[in-house]
Amino acid sequence: MKRKLTVGLLASVVALGANANDISAQIINGTPASVANYTNFASLYVETDTQYSTRSFCGATVINDYYVLTAAHCIVGHESILPHVTVPLGLEDESTFIPGSYPRVVEYHFPSTYVDSEVALWPDDIAILKLDNPIGTGDLYSMLNFSRDRDYDSNDVFTAVGHGKQEHNEAVNAPNLLEAPLDLVSTKGGIEL
């Protein structure tokens, strides 16, 4: 069985057992995960000179020392905060976040075809962030599958990883890293939910 990893990005996949009312751009119904199993996982935090967030607002996948992959919905409409976004690597527990210790976002890119709409299911929901300092991983590019026309088979396993909610009705995200299994949903010819 092949294992494919989708970290902090929900492109063309939907959580197991989801229906149209359950679709979310957040990880929900996850189970505790070990960061040791997801060495390319990073978090996005807002940090200014006078204050910082105590929780991440999105997850990311490290491509190499200077670039991370995230969802476009994490940045579109929030571009003014990007100079204040820091990217810690491998936080299993968000309470271990130490302000002032991580690279900052200096540049971002997302496809012009991205639509920031829940109704449209966020097509092309992907973004690349460039960092001001190395994140300290080296090149992890080989861990990613960038093949645009890849046909996935029913034996492939997809997993979303991030700091989300263990239950849909929780008010606050869980501080510990979570993982959630995902189903592949074909976008060829439309989606039926």
Side-chain angles (χ1 to χ4, degrees), residues 7-9 25-27 41-46 53 55-61 68-76 78 81 85-88 91 94 125 129 161-164 173:
V7 178
L9 188 62
Q26 300 175 332
I27 294 175
F41 174 75
S43 302
L44 304 180
Y45 279 77
V46 176
S53 57
R55 296 284 171 94
S56 63
F57 67 89
C58 272
T61 299
V68 297
L69 177 73
T70 191
H73 72 258
C74 294
I75 63 166
V76 171
H78 310 288
I81 68 163
V85 172
T86 60
V87 185
L91 288 182
E94 289 188 314
D125 190 8
L129 306 178
V161 178
H163 295 97
N173 286 356

Side-chain angles (χ1 to χ4, degrees), residues 6-182:
T6 303
V7 178
L9 188 62
L10 301 179
S12 301
V13 287
V14 177
L16 287 172
N19 63 49
N21 294 327
D22 294 333
I23 294 173
S24 172
Q26 300 175 332
I27 294 175
I28 298 176
N29 299 330
T31 57
S34 170
V35 76
N37 294 328
Y38 303 102
T39 56
N40 59 341
F41 174 75
S43 302
L44 304 180
Y45 279 77
V46 176
E47 181 181 346
T48 68
D49 293 337
T50 58
Q51 60 185 1
Y52 62 92
S53 57
T54 57
R55 296 284 171 94
S56 63
F57 67 89
C58 272
T61 299
V62 177
I63 298 170
N64 62 32
D65 269 339
Y66 285 95
Y67 290 92
V68 297
L69 177 73
T70 191
H73 72 258
C74 294
I75 63 166
V76 171
H78 310 288
E79 292 88 349
S80 65
I81 68 163
L82 285 174
H84 306 290
V85 172
T86 60
V87 185
L89 176 66
L91 288 182
E92 190 163 321
D93 181 343
E94 289 188 314
S95 68
T96 62
F97 174 77
I98 301 169
S101 303
Y102 309 104
R104 288 184 182 268
V105 173
V106 293
E107 199 175 297
Y108 64 94
H109 305 277
F110 62 92
S112 61
T113 54
Y114 168 67
V115 178
D116 192 14
S117 166
E118 180 177 358
V119 173
L121 299 178
W122 301 279
D124 300 323
D125 190 8
I126 189 169
I128 302 286
L129 306 178
K130 183 178 180 181
L131 308 176
D132 65 349
N133 288 301
I135 201 164
T137 60
D139 188 358
L140 299 177
Y141 187 83
S142 64
M143 295 177 71
L144 304 174
N145 179 358
F146 282 110
S147 176
R148 180 182 178 128
D149 297 323
R150 168 122 160 52
D151 288 326
Y152 297 99
D153 103 17
S154 61
N155 294 325
D156 287 339
V157 175
F158 296 88
T159 304
V161 178
H163 295 97
K165 299 176 182 180
Q166 287 184 288
E167 294 187 25
H168 191 11
N169 59 357
E170 285 182 325
V172 180
N173 286 356
N176 295 318
L177 189 65
L178 301 173
E179 61 186 350
L182 303 171

